[in-house]
Amino acid sequence: MRKRNSLAKGKLPKWAIWAIAAGSIIIGAAISTLTGFSVAAFAIYSAIIFLIAASVITTVVEGKRRGKNAMWTYLIYAAFIVALIPLASVLYTVLQKGLPGINSHFLFSSMNGVTGAIDNQTVANGEPVIGGAYHAVIGTLLITLWATLISVPVGMLTAVYLVEYGQGKALSKAITFFVDVMTGIPSIVAGLFAAAFFGMILGPNARMGIVAAVALSVLMIPTVVRSTEEMLKIVPNELREASFALGVRRWRTILKVVIPTAISGIASGVTLAIARVIGETAPILVTAGIASQINMNVFANWMSTLPTFIYYQILTPTSPTNIDPSVQRAWAAALLLILMVMALNLIARLVASIFAPKKGR
Amino acid sequence: MAKRIDVNDLNVYYSKFLAVEGVSINIEPKSVTAFIGPSGCGKSTFLRTLNRMHEVIPGGRVEGQVLLDGDDLYGAGVDPVTVRSQIGMVFQRPNPFPTMSIKDNVLAGVKLNGTKISRSDADDLVEKSLRGANLWNEVKDRLDKPGSGLSGGQQQRLCIARTIAVKPDVILMDEPCSALDPISTLAIEDLINELKNDFTVVIVTHNMQQAARVSDKTAFFNIAGTGKPGKLIEFNDTTAIFSNPEQKATEDYVSGRFG
Amino acid sequence: MAKRIDVNDLNVYYSKFLAVEGVSINIEPKSVTAFIGPSGCGKSTFLRTLNRMHEVIPGGRVEGQVLLDGDDLYGAGVDPVTVRSQIGMVFQRPNPFPTMSIKDNVLAGVKLNGTKISRSDADDLVEKSLRGANLWNEVKDRLDKPGSGLSGGQQQRLCIARTIAVKPDVILMDEPCSALDPISTLAIEDLINELKNDFTVVIVTHNMQQAARVSDKTAFFNIAGTGKPGKLIEFNDTTAIFSNPEQKATEDYVSGRFG
Amino acid sequence: SDNPTAASSESAAGSSAAGVTGTLTGIGASSQNSAMEAWSTGFKAANSGATVQYSPDGSGAGREAFLAGGAQFAGSDAYLKEDEAQKAKEVCGPDGAFNIPAYVSPIAIAFNLEGVDEINMDADTIAKVFKKEITKWNDEAIAKQNPDVDLPDTAITVVHRNDESGTTENFVEYLKAAAGDVWTYDVSGDWPSDIQSENAKGTSGVVSTTTSTNGAITYADHSAVGKLSTVNVKVGDEYTKISAEAAAKALDAATPVEGASENDLALDLKRDTTEAGTYPIVLVSYHIFCSSYKDQATVDLVKAFGNYVVSDEGQKAAQDSAGNAPISAAIAEKAAKAIDSITVAK
Amino acid sequence: MTTNALTSKSSTSGRAGDKIFSGAALAAGVLILITLFAVAVFLLIQALPTFFADPAEISGGQGFFAYIWPIVIGTVIAAAIALAVATPIGLGVALFISHFAPRKVAGPLGYLIDLLAAIPSVIYGAWGYMVLAPALVPGFEWLSKNLGFIPLFEGPASQTGKTMLTAGIVLAVMVLPIITSLSREIFLQTPKLHEEAALALGATRWEMITTAVIPFARPGIISAVMLGLGRALGETMAVALVLSTGNLIPSLIKTGNQTIAAEIALNFPEAFGLRLSELIAAGLVLFLITLIVNMIARGIIARHKEFSGAN
Ligand SMILES: Nc1ncnc2c1ncn2[C@@H]1O[C@H](COP(=O)(O)OP(=O)(O)OP(=O)(O)O)[C@@H](O)[C@H]1O
Ligand SMILES: Nc1ncnc2c1ncn2[C@@H]1O[C@H](COP(=O)(O)OP(=O)(O)OP(=O)(O)O)[C@@H](O)[C@H]1O
Ligand SMILES: [Mg+2]
Ligand SMILES: [Mg+2]
Ligand SMILES: O=P([O-])([O-])[O-]
């Protein structure tokens, strides 16, 4: 046998960590049984015991630095697992309550003419729920589309100003600061503002899709500016200089070199911004009203979106005596909204990967 | 093609900081001029004033004249864009556009400005420029692949091809080989030798052997200390600078035993 | 201090791609060994396997043995952290920690060790390391300023100071001068000459004059073509490699007229 | 599709060519939202060219919007206050606006107590429970009134509305009127902040919180209480079980608000009535119309809709959907008369 | 004098393009400032009557200050809980994805966490009071029994679980994806150079993170937390649905407390006249809180500028 490898001195063998884990689970189970068993208590006790035991044992065997490293590693894993719990719980709740309501009738019908009497009847007869979220899907798509059409150009141009033109200027510092402040506007205030603004122009309570789109834009713009700005900043200056040196004008350089290089980051930033507002309820209520029939025109008449639909189905069920159909519609609509955002995310990733800087040989 | 550059008493500033002071130099057409000098003496700064890239940096400004065949680059009403399309530039680190194919990279100077160009003209231009940059044979089969997939030396030659595709009068190069291995360096030095048949070439280099190998004339810049402006110490035929410099500082510098 | 390294038949992979194949080499303590060879032949890759930095890259793995005074770096139960604190590394681009002052940069590696170090000991160590890196005089008045405010050459020497402050047995350097001007290069070459009194030094360089100037032994790596693995072609005393190489490939490479 | 019910109403509507056309906008109380959905559907069935859109933003928001000219009518759980009535003259012309009772619903005192389905309480007891002076279900005060019920030793969890609400306002108005000695707080749509207790948003919120908490008690629209048990309220010498009929009786006993114009049917309910069989905790939700509108088309539309709501047919539709109580024939008659008096502004 | 050939060659149309584009960019920036200014003016005008009203007419009868400060504190408490929970977990998750998880798993995981950002707040509210609140009741009881001597956990614990702590946790779940996704992007951008420098000095992974990653990312982390804070402060519907509101009390596990945004959302529908103006004044106060917090954050970032990773 060769001499022992002096570099491998004082290292815990691989199996040790599994042994500690097993031990922690056993002790965790024991303590939680003593104090009245519950799964949560069991998991919490086991995790804490493991964390302490693993860190202490690593510290003793491998020294303080490795111990610290081990502790933080487990803490970070723990943070991740803890974050997954609410995610799983929310998704499970939405799936469990929403899935039964998803069917083609729900997807492709509005709530036009659906009254409490109809719900009472379907419940009494055990028939499938009547009425769907089609009108709200349309409303969500239209209002979000218009909000995007407003905020993406404004937000991106602002970011372009901040990064490409305004460097070091007082105005650009002011914009950066107030964009941050803007992220803190409560959504209801944005809604009231848009309503008041259009009220001034079009008369009191001018409610329609476009007013809601403006309200959402107020909420969206800061996110678009922020993320675009960050992404433009990391476009290397050498690319700009290369373009300038070829005699390309600044605006063409920005449009054809800088933005395409950053497009994937910008796309995910815009997606995040859309996701941020697509679920808004309060500002829509005061700007777009509520409708049960399909409205394709954002410039006239009231409109529902999925969040307002969900909100009213939960808070003022169509039939107060039989709320189950409304509850089912609400959760199904929630599921639909999440699916829509997922699809949006996928599209954004696709867009990003098409435009993204090409790598590899 | 190929024009002369005459600089009269140029001062270059970064905001208030005077980085380069009182440079006067005459650069002949169809020649290679090398700038050498210690780090921070203002070689890059000065080079960038020759095609108005200096003013891209916030606070960058100049005093004095730079004449391109007698026309002042900094004259009233001169559009920097016009200047830059006549005086091209290659940078220290190869910087092909990552979103574009090799072909689009070569055409960037033409297409980005929105000039319409027929397919066959474009193909001709691409071939001509890539041949001019000694890169055609290596990439002709993958013109549609991204430029960032090339090796460092190839990327740098792609950047040169991109620069000559806009048919400039002058090509400026700022340490074009410092990021490259000896084989790629050799390829680029060969290329510079060919380029001078058509263009006026100005090159900044840290590598004195390189200056000696490729240039007809050499300018030595120096700096008295940090915070002081860089100055042109001596400008002469390359052979004279390396074998028989007039100034003590030049001699000290070129006799250093550096690679 | 100063240990020997023996490599036995090492293969280095990036995921499935075999980048370096079958290298065996014996590096003596208190000597300077230079790795030369064309771009992409695997010099950096191989160098990084000597302190297990290779495995930081996703997919990076090795087959074979690397012995540090007889202990296998890749042996079962060996913690890469232990390896790296005994084999230091300096990179191509200077990389001081931008958020730390010059002093903290020097102490960065020492502070990691968690051992409380008294103020005066720390000051001593900072001075000693900076002196060892030939940087003390230039920075002694601004030890609390950020390290990123230094010139490139100074930053590189700061990185060397940081590396020697942890008192490693071996120092690996990957083209430490390629981003620097001749004056800084000179300073670092002088430094390497001093370092070999205490450390085993391994340096990758593109600059053959540099290899000739600083190293005792030189290893020439080559590659048969893209996609092929790099191999160690010849390893010998530096004088032998440059004046009287055994292999044709070595001769071709070192006789190239590159800077 | 925009016709999820696949109702034959389309064809039926097609034949009733006589209908009015246009869009009528109302904003107001959420309590009558379900009824409003029934009315707007029924109204549309009879008038294919007409649409009624209603946003259940809340009574206050509804009156605010109505007075600002942003809605043609408001739904409100309370009639216009004096200063609002004054302001209405600016929007509606010299005769101002008037309140028409459209939706009547008893407010149940609902609870969740394992094994108990019915409990009797008098007004004082109710007030003390909601004031948290009585904290156990087997408290002497409750036990005394329920000799036949086996009351457990469970803590009482009071659940109230945390949003400002017409339901709260009507409920505390009852407590103040019937148990003024115990309930000394001001009447308002906000729950008295001195009483710290569980609460939730909206009727559905309090009902769901109560349903999931053993020992909880709340107040909510009768139609919405679902599986919860209800308290029989002592009126006179008897305990009245909540029902639509008992609620209608309370409405009949109500008196017109002092100083109201002839066409204004704002009502003051007698919360402290002692007449047996009356259920005094009733919410009356009004439709508030202008006495005159700018143009004939609007007048026609408003009249048609207003009349439909108070008609037997309209009240029946609402009852089927929302489970509320209908207004009495007498009030319906007065309401129709008032609505017919709406004219075009001069 | 000879004419300058370079002037004649310049195309005026090209220059116009530059002018138009930079003008548009500037206009967009100014538009944002104007909008924000308009929002501020709108809030101010609508809120004004509150400040001139007879204190007795303000809700609570003791003037605006007495009305607003408890809910200001409630807002701060809710946001503080949210950030106290979400910041460490969010940064942990971001680090997990950027530096710990195998590459193949990291992408999809990041996507999954980002999904949380897309769930409407009504759903968070509904989930909060239907699933989370009941689940937390045993925990609250444990807290009040074992740590009840601390005012924060003073009993008796709420039987419905609809408390400030629950609302704070729901907010934490809502801001988690914001903090995670932004800081993850920044962690991923830590220069490899600096990470390798630390590793080559013999740093463990955690030490590498503290010497190279965190200092580099600090300004970014602060921005991410600020964005999260913005959402936590301004969130209305989730708090309105989850919290059993009440007067300001120290205990986090009893019924009580209120936030500004929820106060607005809950009372706005029935509000008119002075009450409406009061609620808008509350919105103005929230706006000011955001302004101050952002100023502080900027200050922190600026103070470390000399040592920032940005070069
Ligand atoms: N963007 C800038 N802003 C302010 N000062 C600058 C800027 N760039 C360079 N400088 C300063 O101008 C002087 C000249 O720098 P320059 O880069 O031209 O030197 P150089 O000769 O090219 O050096 P090197 O050989 O290292 O490239 C230096 O003092 C430098 O610090
Ligand atoms: N991260 C990586 N992933 C995959 N392959 C890599 C990676 N880094 C380098 N390679 C490949 O490994 C081979 C050796 O590269 P290496 O960087 O070691 O060469 P080198 O000799 O250091 O070249 P240079 O002189 O240009 O630094 C090359 O083919 C290269 O493409
Ligand atoms: Mg330079
Ligand atoms: Mg290398
Ligand atoms: O109808 P509400 O006012 O009680 O919601």
Side-chain angles (χ1 to χ4, degrees), chain C residues 43-45 92 174-175 204 206:
Chain C
K43 303 178 297 292
S44 304
T45 304
Q92 181 169 6
D174 191 355
E175 303 189 36
V204 171
H206 270 142

Side-chain angles (χ1 to χ4, degrees), chain A residues 5-284:
Chain A
N5 189 337
S6 70
L7 291 168
K9 257 189 311 213
K11 184 98 167 72
L12 268 184
K14 275 235 170 68
W15 53 262
I17 214 68
W18 296 107
I20 297 171
S24 311
I25 291 174
I26 294 168
I27 301 176
I31 298 182
S32 60
T33 319
L34 284 180
T35 57
F37 186 83
S38 81
V39 178
F42 164 56
I44 293 172
Y45 287 134
S46 302
I48 292 176
I49 292 167
F50 172 78
L51 207 69
I52 295 172
S55 312
V56 169
I57 293 173
T58 314
T59 308
V60 169
V61 179
E62 300 188 2
K64 215 165 124 194
R65 290 177 56 202
R66 313 287 146 88
K68 206 166 164 191
N69 184 52
M71 181 183 83
W72 282 103
T73 304
Y74 299 133
L75 277 177
I76 283 171
Y77 276 78
F80 180 71
I81 293 167
V82 168
L84 281 186
I85 294 171
L87 175 69
S89 170
V90 173
L91 288 183
Y92 174 78
T93 310
V94 175
L95 277 174
Q96 180 218 9
K97 296 184 189 277
L99 218 44
I102 298 269
N103 55 42
S104 67
H105 175 79
F106 178 78
L107 293 180
F108 298 111
S109 315
S110 68
M111 285 292 286
N112 194 13
V114 178
T115 61
I118 289 173
D119 274 0
N120 291 341
Q121 207 175 5
T122 55
V123 169
N125 302 344
E127 288 162 359
V129 171
I130 290 177
Y134 185 62
H135 62 301
V137 172
I138 301 275
T140 298
L141 289 177
L142 286 177
I143 290 177
T144 313
L145 177 75
W146 277 94
T148 309
L149 287 181
I150 297 169
S151 16
V152 167
V154 172
M156 274 178 66
L157 278 170
T158 304
V160 163
Y161 175 78
L162 294 177
V163 178
E164 308 285 337
Y165 293 103
Q167 297 260 305
K169 291 187 188 155
L171 178 64
S172 107
K173 282 187 191 140
I175 294 175
T176 313
F177 178 73
F178 283 107
V179 162
D180 281 355
V181 173
M182 211 165 162
T183 60
I185 295 183
S187 50
I188 174 90
V189 169
L192 294 178
F193 166 72
F197 178 73
F198 277 85
M200 242 159 52
I201 302 175
L202 302 174
N205 277 7
R207 293 184 183 195
M208 49 199 184
I210 194 73
V211 184
V214 168
L216 292 188
S217 299
V218 172
L219 299 170
M220 240 179 115
I221 285 174
T223 319
V224 176
V225 175
R226 251 0 213 120
S227 50
T228 311
E229 190 190 348
E230 295 300 327
M231 293 307 143
L232 292 183
K233 269 191 197 154
I234 55 177
V235 173
N237 245 332
E238 16 186 90
L239 292 182
R240 295 187 183 91
E241 298 209 330
S243 178
F244 293 152
L246 288 171
V248 178
R249 289 195 179 276
R250 190 166 207 135
W251 68 284
R252 287 188 176 273
T253 302
I254 294 168
L255 280 183
K256 303 232 163 138
V257 175
V258 178
I259 291 180
T261 308
I263 194 80
S264 97
I266 295 174
S268 55
V270 168
T271 323
L272 198 76
I274 293 177
R276 161 86 177 78
V277 299
I278 204 171
E280 281 296 348
T281 320
I284 308 275

Side-chain angles (χ1 to χ4, degrees), chain B residues 14 17 19 38-45 57 175 206:
Chain B
Y14 288 102
F17 171 56
S39 186
C41 68
K43 303 180 295 295
S44 303
T45 304
I57 294 163
E175 303 188 37
H206 269 144

Side-chain angles (χ1 to χ4, degrees), chain D residues 1 118 178 180 202 205 223 259 263 302 325-326 336:
Chain D
S1 97
E118 229 175 305
S223 58
N263 287 330
V302 168

Side-chain angles (χ1 to χ4, degrees), chain B residues 131-198:
Chain B
R131 278 191 197 282
N134 270 336
L135 191 61
W136 175 249
N137 286 325
E138 290 161 62
V139 300
K140 61 170 182 258
D141 301 326
R142 43 171 171 163
L143 292 176
D144 291 327
K145 293 275 147 58
S148 45
L150 299 174
S151 84
Q154 291 173 327
Q155 289 190 12
Q156 194 62 296
R157 278 178 283 154
L158 177 58
C159 293
I160 295 175
R162 175 174 77 182
T163 306
I164 58 185
V166 289
K167 304 198 182 70
D169 305 312
V170 180
I171 298 180
L172 310 176
M173 299 186 174
D174 191 355
E175 303 188 37
C177 303
S178 80
L180 306 181
D181 70 310
I183 294 173
S184 311
T185 304
L186 178 59
I188 296 208
E189 288 181 7
D190 286 345
L191 175 58
I192 293 172
N193 264 320
E194 285 170 31
L195 289 178
K196 87 171 172 191
N197 297 330
D198 296 319

Side-chain angles (χ1 to χ4, degrees), chain D:
Chain D
S1 97
D2 223 356
N3 185 17
T5 54
S8 52
S9 57
E10 296 289 328
S11 55
S15 60
S16 67
V20 290
T21 58
T23 298
L24 196 59
T25 299
I27 296 177
S30 60
S31 52
Q32 42 171 301
N33 191 43
S34 178
M36 187 61 73
E37 280 166 1
W39 288 325
S40 92
T41 301
F43 184 62
K44 200 171 172 197
N47 304 275
S48 61
T51 308
V52 177
Q53 51 185 15
Y54 183 79
S55 185
D57 296 1
S59 307
R63 297 197 302 269
E64 181 98 357
F66 174 74
L67 292 177
Q72 282 127 341
F73 71 98
S76 175
D77 292 345
Y79 48 80
L80 286 179
K81 305 201 165 48
E82 190 119 15
D83 53 335
E84 288 175 317
Q86 216 51 43
K87 203 171 163 214
K89 296 191 173 152
E90 292 165 24
V91 200
C92 299
D95 291 341
F98 43 72
N99 307 282
I100 307 286
Y103 175 88
V104 178
S105 178
I107 296 170
I109 298 167
F111 63 93
N112 170 7
L113 187 61
E114 237 165 75
V116 181
D117 328 309
E118 229 175 305
I119 272 188
N120 296 332
M121 290 190 194
D122 58 25
D124 277 356
T125 311
I126 295 170
K128 281 180 184 157
V129 164
F130 278 90
K131 212 180 163 185
K132 295 179 80 171
E133 278 175 8
I134 296 175
T135 57
K136 291 276 184 199
W137 279 104
N138 61 357
D139 189 282
E140 180 61 20
I142 303 176
K144 211 168 53 194
Q145 299 176 65
N146 296 282
D148 306 335
V149 184
D150 184 17
L151 290 166
D153 178 35
T154 309
I156 301 180
T157 305
V158 171
V159 180
H160 65 84
R161 294 280 293 270
N162 66 3
D163 49 340
E164 194 172 343
S165 121
T167 312
T168 303
E169 188 164 2
N170 278 282
F171 178 60
V172 299
E173 201 176 288
Y174 160 75
L175 292 180
K176 178 99 179 169
D181 297 341
V182 182
W183 198 263
T184 48
Y185 309 101
D186 290 340
V187 171
S188 130
D190 267 330
W191 188 252
S193 63
D194 291 354
I195 309 172
Q196 284 273 42
S197 185
E198 290 290 344
N199 49 64
K201 177 168 168 56
T203 297
S204 62
V206 290
V207 169
S208 99
T209 300
T210 307
T211 309
S212 60
T213 312
N214 188 31
I217 187 165
T218 192
Y219 54 92
D221 206 297
H222 182 214
S223 58
V225 298
K227 292 194 282 283
L228 295 175
S229 317
T230 53
V231 171
N232 300 331
V233 177
K234 189 169 189 185
V235 177
D237 298 330
E238 281 173 37
Y239 292 93
T240 312
K241 191 172 169 57
I242 188 166
S243 70
E245 296 72 44
K249 263 193 166 168
L251 201 59
D252 287 338
T255 52
V257 170
E258 232 172 281
S261 70
E262 179 195 356
N263 287 330
D264 187 353
L265 302 188
L267 295 173
D268 269 336
L269 289 158
K270 261 178 79 83
R271 306 286 191 188
D272 53 355
T273 177
T274 51
E275 196 180 324
T278 309
Y279 188 83
I281 321 172
V282 175
L283 173 136
V284 178
S285 201
Y286 298 89
H287 285 177
I288 302 174
F289 294 109
C290 271
S291 57
S292 65
Y293 288 89
K294 273 198 309 297
D295 53 63
Q296 188 63 46
T298 312
V299 170
D300 291 346
L301 200 57
V302 168
K303 277 186 177 172
F305 179 67
N307 271 318
Y308 169 71
V309 167
V310 297
S311 71
D312 281 354
E313 193 191 344
Q315 288 294 309
K316 170 100 179 31
Q319 202 178 0
D320 287 348
S321 278
N324 63 324
I327 56 174
S328 66
I331 291 178
E333 195 182 318
K334 279 196 231 165
K337 197 171 133 254
I339 289 163
D340 281 332
S341 76
I342 294 173
T343 57
V344 178
K346 290 166 198 96

